[in-house]
Structures are given as structure tokens and as C-alpha cells.
Amino acid sequence: MRAPIRILARLAALLAALQLAIQPAAAQSILRDAETEKLLQDMVDPLAEAAGLGRGAVEIVLVQDNSINAFVAGGQRIYIHSGLINAADTANEVQGVMAHELGHITGGHIIRSSEGISEATNITIVSLLLGVAAIAAGAGEAGMGILAAGQQAAMGKYLAFSRVQESSADAAAVDFLSKAGISGRGSIEFFKKLQNLEFRYGVSQDDEAGFSRTHPLTGDRITNLERDYQRDPAWNTPNNPQLEERFQRAKAKLYGYLAKPQDTLRAYPTTMTGIPARYARAYAYHKDAQVDKALTETRALIEADPQNPYFLELEGQILLESGRPRDALEPLREATRLTGNTPLIATTFGHALIATENQSNFEEAEQVLKAAVTKDRYNPFAWYQLGVVYAARGDMPRARLASAEQQSMSGQMAMALTSAEAAERGLPTGSPDWLRAQDIAMAAKAELERQKKRK
């Protein structure tokens, strides 16, 4: 019986490998920043419109991961790694990546990946049956050979399917960039970056190696894309200067936020006095608890552009996080006003109002935070802060409801269920808040049941 068991184990391993081949990286941290999210939305909107999806229909999610990667995982959402932003020299390069990922969305590739797995699985099952039959007949080595060949054929079938999808997404990207009037030069430049990385790490570029890849050979992709892009009238269209300027700021800001302070100061030394460099250094100094230097850089930014809400947001954030919430109120209030109550900035403002511990600020905090969660329900920190306000006012049922919202978004389903049921008991029967508490409780129960079954 041991040989068939080993065969089944190998089959299970292959099926798991096929499943993993289509799973995007999961469990990384999501980075939220109002300025960066607005920039990425403005970058993808003309492409989404060209793809027939419409402006605002596609969401960009920034993932904290140093690798150079982007992916889709169902729905109209593109995930971009912070490492990709750091590697890109221009916004146009990132738009090339966005256009490619849009090709996966419009092509339904996440849904259709099950077709590739199904075909590969069929091959594997056939090889399993033949292999077991050979082993049962006494031809053990032959049976194992059949199984191994079947596994290789199955994986090859899936990889070929994946390469077809990638080529399809490349072709779609050409179409979307062309319709949007955006040059494909950035797309080519980014592929060349990827090819240079492959050369550096010794990734084989020959045709035989291409059969073991999920993507077509990078050199072939560059050749095909250059031919298509150079024919397009948009090829010589210059990059949008405002978009490029915003990209350089956001890129420096992201680097300053994620990198070690000493690395940021090496990349952006004090001899560099442009806005991106000051942005990066402000974050580096703030992370290193050098508050005065962080504020000096930030106030130089505000002096250069007094109406920039994101510079004001940064000043307020530094003041708040260094224990000066009262001083943080005015820059955060103005940043909230200038951005039309953008939820992420409004949430920080609401936090600062609460942090003053002045009861007279709590009414404004409640208004600000309620507006924030109305615009963006998926903001756990805003719900937490709103719960603090409700609790301070003695409104415990709504404090419990806010806690349930925050806990459910954070994956704390048992706690969310307890909080939602407690809220439901204290809220007026049939009221919108009562119904919402019921919804959260039912969703939490369902998720806890699913988790129990998986175990």
C-alpha cells in the first residue's frame, strides 16, 4: 500500500502547486495614504476609461512589499507592491504596469485560471490511473515514470495557459494606452528593468527555459511590444509633467516612510533641496524622533506651497505623534478642508481632537469621524476613534457598534460578534444602527463557522 500512498501524496503536492501558481501574495500590509491613493487613482482612471470600465471603477491598492510586482485577485482592483513604485523612474512606467493588469481584469483571467487548472488536473488524474495500474501489475519503475511524466505534462499545460494570458494582457495594454493617448515608452522601459534583473540573477533567456515560466520570455515581450507601441500615434506623446511631479513626491514620501532613516538620508542628502528630497527627509527625521528637524523640512515644504493639504497633513501628523495634539489641530483642520474631508486625513484630524482630552472638541470629532466612515467604511482606525467619542459621551451601544465595525475589519470575528450582540441589545429595535449590528453579528457567525469547518 505504500507506493499508492506516495503517488497520492505526489498528486496532492502537484495540485497544491497548481493552486499556488495562481495565488497572489497574501497577508502583506496594505499602505494607506491620501496623497498616494489620489495620485494612483488619477494615473489609472484614463486607462480604465479606455478599457471601457469607467473612471473610478478600478481601485489601486498599495501593498507593503519590497518585491517588484503587481497583480489582480478578482474584482476590479489592482495591487501594486511598494517595491515596484521604488523601482519605477516615472509615472508612465507604472501606468504601463497598470494597463497590463487591466488586461487581466478585462480578460477575466482570474476566473479563467480555473480552466488551466482543470486541464492540468485531468492530465494528472489520467497519469495517476495509468501509474497505479502499472504498479499493480508489478512494473513499479514504469508506473512511477508514467506518474512523473504526467506531472510534468500537467505543469507544462498550466504554464502554457498562463503564458497565453500574459501575452493577452500585454496586447490589451497596448490598446488601452493607445486609446488613452499615453505613450508606451514607460512600459518598454519597465520591461527592460525586469530584463536587467533577470540578467543580474542569472535567469535563463533561451527558448527552452521559456517552457518552465508563467510569463513569456522578457526579451520576446520587449520586441513584440516595441513593434506595437512604435506604430502608435501616442508613442511620441510626452509624459504629463504634473503627474510626473506628483509621482516623484509620492515616491520620495514612500521611501522616507518605509526605509531606515540612515538609508533615506543617504538617498536624499541635505544638499538636495527639492520638494521630493525634503519630503523623504521629513519622514526620516520623524521616524528617528528628531522632531525639530522633521518640522524644519515640513515647514520648508509649506513655505514652497502653502495650500498643499498633504504638507499640512504631515505637519499635523508630526505634531500629533510627538505629543502636541493642540498644535496639530489647525494644520489638520485646514488639510481636511482643502481635500473636501478626505477620510484618511479627516480621521487623523478626529484623532487629534480626541487626543487634546478637551471635551469641548469631542462634538467636532464626532462630526468629522462620522463623515469619514460615511465616505470610507473600510477604515478600522476611524471606527475605533468614533467608538472612543461615543464611550466618552456615555453612548455605550453605539460605542459597541463602532468597536464591532473595527473588529470585523481587523479579522477579530469572535470579538466582533460579542460587540455587535451587545450593541444590538442596547439600540432601538428596527433602527438603522440596530440593523447594522445584526448584519455584523450574522457575518461574524458565518465566518466563525467557516473557520471551524476549515480546522
Side-chain angles (χ1 to χ4, degrees):
M1 292 295 291
R2 288 183 180 178
I5 289 173
R6 286 198 300 271
I7 294 168
L8 290 171
R10 292 179 68 178
L11 172 63
L14 174 64
L15 294 178
L18 290 170
Q19 292 285 354
L20 287 171
I22 65 163
Q23 294 298 321
Q28 298 109 320
S29 298
I30 301 300
L31 296 170
R32 300 290 314 271
D33 173 68
E35 180 180 16
T36 304
E37 289 181 1
K38 180 69 168 65
L39 167 67
L40 294 174
Q41 196 65 50
D42 289 346
M43 288 167 61
V44 78
D45 272 350
L47 297 168
E49 189 172 45
L53 300 174
R55 290 177 177 266
V58 176
E59 180 185 2
I60 304 296
V61 178
L62 187 60
V63 179
Q64 184 176 341
D65 191 304
N66 289 333
S67 61
I68 303 173
N69 192 26
F71 61 88
V72 295
Q76 294 181 179
R77 184 177 290 121
I78 298 172
Y79 296 83
I80 294 181
H81 286 195
S82 56
L84 188 149
I85 300 295
N86 189 50
D89 289 321
T90 65
N92 186 231
E93 290 183 14
V94 179
Q95 285 181 303
V97 175
M98 290 175 172
H100 174 88
E101 298 304 326
L102 276 170
H104 285 305
I105 290 174
T106 57
H109 292 167
I110 294 299
I111 297 171
R112 295 191 60 228
S113 289
S114 59
E115 298 175 18
I117 288 180
S118 177
E119 292 185 28
T121 303
N122 290 339
I123 293 173
T124 306
I125 291 172
V126 170
S127 68
L128 171 66
L129 295 174
L130 292 174
V132 170
I135 291 170
E141 290 187 6
M144 295 303 290
I146 292 170
L147 178 60
Q151 290 176 342
Q152 185 175 4
M155 187 58 78
K157 187 77 173 178
Y158 177 76
L159 293 174
F161 183 86
S162 177
R163 289 193 296 272
V164 168
Q165 289 188 333
E166 292 300 326
S167 296
S168 171
D170 283 349
V174 174
D175 182 49
F176 300 155
L177 286 165
S178 175
K179 287 178 179 177
I182 298 171
S183 174
R185 289 180 182 273
S187 177
I188 298 299
E189 290 304 314
F190 200 79
F191 272 119
K192 287 179 178 178
K193 282 185 170 69
L194 296 179
Q195 187 177 45
N196 287 337
L197 284 174
E198 290 180 353
F199 289 147
R200 183 186 304 174
Y201 292 108
V203 177
S204 179
Q205 302 293 307
D206 60 35
D207 290 336
E208 184 176 348
F211 289 108
S212 64
R213 297 164 61 116
T214 57
H215 292 59
L217 291 169
T218 304
D220 292 345
R221 298 174 84 176
I222 292 172
T223 299
N224 293 333
L225 287 171
E226 278 187 326
R227 180 191 63 237
D228 293 337
Y229 281 130
Q230 287 177 6
R231 292 173 181 167
D232 186 73
W235 174 254
N236 291 315
T237 300
N239 293 342
N240 182 315
Q242 289 79 24
L243 208 61
E244 293 298 335
E245 181 181 2
R246 291 170 61 195
F247 176 75
Q248 296 306 324
R249 293 184 183 191
K251 178 180 174 179
K253 180 181 188 179
L254 183 64
Y255 190 88
Y257 177 75
L258 293 177
K260 295 178 181 178
Q262 60 267 32
D263 292 338
T264 301
L265 296 175
R266 275 196 296 269
Y268 296 95
T270 54
T271 53
M272 298 174 68
T273 58
I275 284 177
R278 289 193 181 279
Y279 227 165
R281 288 199 301 272
Y283 275 93
Y285 288 136
H286 182 44
K287 286 177 68 175
D288 206 31
Q290 298 188 60
V291 178
D292 289 342
K293 286 187 175 181
L295 287 172
T296 296
E297 296 289 359
T298 303
R299 285 165 181 164
L301 292 172
I302 295 171
E303 185 178 352
D305 187 356
Q307 293 299 299
N308 187 303
Y310 307 114
F311 297 165
L312 292 166
E313 177 198 16
L314 178 56
E315 181 186 26
Q317 180 185 347
I318 293 169
L319 290 167
L320 173 62
E321 293 175 2
S322 60
R324 297 163 60 182
R326 288 180 180 82
D327 294 336
L329 294 183
E330 284 313 308
L332 287 173
R333 181 179 281 112
E334 184 65 3
T336 301
R337 185 189 69 80
L338 288 169
T339 57
N341 296 299
T342 292
L344 291 176
I345 297 177
T347 299
T348 305
F349 177 38
H351 179 202
L353 287 163
I354 295 168
T356 63
E357 299 182 354
N358 185 339
Q359 292 287 330
S360 64
N361 288 328
F362 278 34
E363 183 177 352
E364 184 179 9
E366 181 181 350
Q367 293 173 355
V368 168
L369 292 166
K370 285 175 74 172
V373 297
T374 298
K375 287 187 175 182
D376 180 7
R377 293 194 66 85
Y378 301 100
N379 187 337
F381 188 64
W383 283 111
Y384 174 79
Q385 293 297 320
L386 191 55
V388 171
V389 173
Y390 286 138
R393 294 178 55 185
D395 188 348
M396 294 313 297
R398 285 180 175 78
R400 288 283 195 174
L401 178 57
S403 293
E405 295 275 13
Q406 181 260 325
Q407 289 155 354
S408 66
M409 287 176 213
S410 304
Q412 301 169 296
M413 291 305 173
M415 294 176 68
L417 176 59
T418 300
S419 296
E421 289 177 339
E424 187 180 344
R425 288 192 295 269
L427 291 165
T429 302
S431 67
D433 286 340
W434 182 84
L435 292 171
R436 179 58 186 161
Q438 274 199 331
D439 289 344
I440 295 173
M442 286 189 291
K445 282 179 184 176
E447 178 57 30
L448 289 169
E449 283 297 319
R450 283 193 290 270
Q451 291 176 6
K452 187 178 179 181
K453 288 178 181 179
R454 285 197 292 268
K455 289 180 180 179

